[in-house]
Amino acid sequence: MSEKSVREPTANDIPKEKITRKKKNTAQRRWRILAKALIGSRRSMDTEDENEVSVRRFTSFQLFRVNRVDPAMDQDAGVWSEYSAVAENKLFTLQIHRLKRNFTANELIGFNNTGNICVWPSEECLAYYLLKNRHLCRDRRVLELGGGMSCLAGMIAAKYCDPRQVTLTDGNVTSANNVQRIVARNGMSDLVECGVVQWGRAARAIRMARASRAFAPNEQRVKNWTGGGGKDLAKFADRLYDVILCADCLFFDEARSDLVETMYGWLANDGLALVMAPGRGSTFEKFAEAAVKRGFVARQIDRYDGKIWSRHLELLEHSQEYCPDLHYPILLELTKQKKTLLG
């Protein structure tokens, strides 16, 4: 990578055996959450379990305040909540629909359902970062990949960052349908498109499009993508994006190369991809290395926001459950520079 910032010494001053123990405990709690969702438990999920696993921002990082909307509604249909944050002395609000907890078996074992369980800290960090850096999306085409049930970062970009157009995607149909509801509720259907995009299919389509251009060099994009990409993939295939957002999507080793290829294929020259995720052992590092190998210029930023960093240090000092390797999101900036021919 071209540049890497240095963490404060206190951020890494944790014994390896403590980190290993926290990873094991966290994994066990996450499986308990999935098991409760699968069996359709009618009682509410144990709050302690949920908070310990996800370290959700509204209870831990405290960047967003979350208030229930329409509390009388049946929780089996999901819960509407208002996410609000103050940045630069301004109040920002957004209504988010959080899905029901008692998923069916088919819903749970579908394509990567982790985005349907809760809003993960990385998504909230990225959303808050965009509020503080709204110029990054101004008058630009924005795409979110793997946004889960809320696409919180992409929704913030759509509502407050003055983009030209926004596309919100997830590989899970349940998530994508829920995001469509959120877009309509917030009155942004004219600006925002939603759809199902799975990176394996997208990567194959991008490679096929590149091969087609080798035979038809005057065609900048191939509009009729084949190979089982799906109707949403075909709909998004003929465009490039100036900004790509991606939060907490690096933990599947088998999907790494497809995600990198999808980002590279859909990012415009001189475009910017903002990837936010915790280290999780070597997964973050391996993704950054794969991105550089593909042609991206990468910059890792650990201390990207003063408020988030202060809360991080506070948790290190006072929380027994907080593990930076699992919970503190790192920001990776990827830029795609226009290639020029020498001579």
Side-chain angles (χ1 to χ4, degrees):
M1 291 178 287
S2 60
E3 180 180 344
K4 181 176 180 180
S5 59
V6 180
R7 289 180 183 267
E8 296 288 341
T10 54
N12 293 322
D13 190 20
I14 300 177
K16 291 184 178 179
E17 58 270 19
K18 184 176 181 180
I19 293 177
T20 301
R21 185 169 62 253
K22 286 184 177 181
K23 286 182 180 179
K24 183 178 180 180
N25 292 340
T26 300
Q28 291 172 343
R29 294 188 188 101
R30 182 174 286 118
W31 280 112
R32 285 210 304 272
I33 288 177
L34 291 172
K36 289 178 182 179
L38 182 58
I39 64 176
S41 175
R42 300 298 298 181
R43 62 186 178 85
S44 61
M45 184 180 298
D46 186 278
T47 303
E48 182 180 356
D49 277 348
E50 181 184 354
N51 289 339
E52 284 179 349
V53 171
S54 64
V55 191
R56 299 175 68 176
R57 179 78 40 75
F58 54 85
T59 58
S60 296
F61 283 92
Q62 298 179 349
L63 302 177
F64 285 84
R65 184 175 181 177
V66 180
N67 292 316
R68 284 276 300 274
V69 179
D70 301 329
M73 292 181 64
D74 182 3
Q75 291 191 34
D76 286 346
V79 176
W80 282 101
S81 298
E82 182 178 80
Y83 279 60
S84 61
V86 175
E88 301 172 351
N89 297 318
K90 297 179 181 179
L91 177 64
F92 301 90
T93 64
L94 185 71
Q95 290 197 6
I96 294 294
H97 185 252
R98 294 150 64 188
L99 290 167
K100 62 182 181 180
R101 297 296 187 185
N102 52 328
F103 298 104
T104 66
N106 286 337
E107 287 174 326
L108 249 187
I109 64 176
F111 181 86
N112 182 11
N113 214 286
T114 55
N116 285 332
I117 301 301
C118 65
V119 178
W120 296 96
S122 294
E123 182 83 7
E124 293 181 284
C125 272
L126 184 54
Y128 186 78
Y129 180 78
L130 290 175
L131 284 178
K132 298 284 289 289
N133 298 273
R134 297 190 295 279
H135 65 282
L136 293 175
C137 298
R138 187 170 297 129
D139 197 31
R140 296 181 177 178
R141 295 185 184 275
V142 179
L143 166 69
E144 180 163 15
L145 296 172
M149 67 175 174
S150 71
C151 285
L152 182 62
M155 287 295 301
I156 287 291
K159 189 170 183 179
Y160 291 112
C161 298
D162 299 316
R164 184 184 309 174
Q165 189 268 336
V166 175
T167 300
L168 305 177
T169 71
D170 191 79
N172 185 279
V173 175
T174 303
S175 289
N177 290 341
N178 191 63
V179 173
Q180 185 68 65
R181 294 183 64 183
I182 295 172
V183 170
R185 175 89 168 207
N186 287 274
M188 293 189 290
S189 298
D190 292 340
L191 175 67
V192 180
E193 288 184 295
C194 303
V196 177
V197 170
Q198 297 179 4
W199 309 325
R201 292 180 173 181
R204 287 195 298 272
I206 288 168
R207 295 184 184 105
M208 292 176 65
R210 188 165 56 247
S212 298
R213 288 197 298 272
F215 294 96
N218 292 329
E219 293 291 331
Q220 292 184 347
R221 304 289 289 171
V222 176
K223 296 187 178 182
N224 184 21
W225 289 25
T226 58
K231 63 177 183 178
D232 291 329
L233 183 58
K235 180 172 63 175
F236 306 145
D238 63 341
R239 65 186 70 164
L240 293 171
Y241 298 88
D242 306 299
V243 178
I244 293 180
L245 309 174
C246 187
D248 209 351
C249 294
L250 311 185
F251 45 86
F252 290 117
D253 290 338
E254 64 273 16
R256 183 178 299 122
S257 61
D258 289 334
L259 179 55
V260 169
E261 185 65 37
T262 300
M263 286 184 174
Y264 196 85
W266 273 351
L267 190 64
N269 290 330
D270 300 323
L272 173 67
L274 299 173
V275 181
M276 187 93 61
R280 285 208 184 93
S282 62
T283 58
F284 185 98
E285 181 180 0
K286 287 180 178 178
F287 178 85
E289 291 173 351
V292 171
K293 185 177 180 180
R294 181 61 186 87
F296 281 113
V297 175
R299 186 167 75 111
Q300 177 180 324
I301 308 173
D302 295 68
R303 192 171 180 171
Y304 47 85
D305 180 82
K307 185 173 182 178
I308 298 174
W309 184 259
S310 295
R311 182 58 175 154
H312 160 69
L313 296 180
E314 181 184 346
L315 288 166
L316 278 175
E317 183 71 21
H318 301 292
S319 174
Q320 295 295 320
E321 294 296 330
Y322 182 69
C323 176
D325 185 61
L326 295 175
H327 302 138
Y328 181 73
I330 306 167
L331 176 61
L332 183 66
E333 290 184 352
L334 302 176
T335 55
K336 179 180 175 183
Q337 298 181 345
K338 184 177 182 179
K339 296 180 179 180
T340 59
L341 297 176
L342 298 179

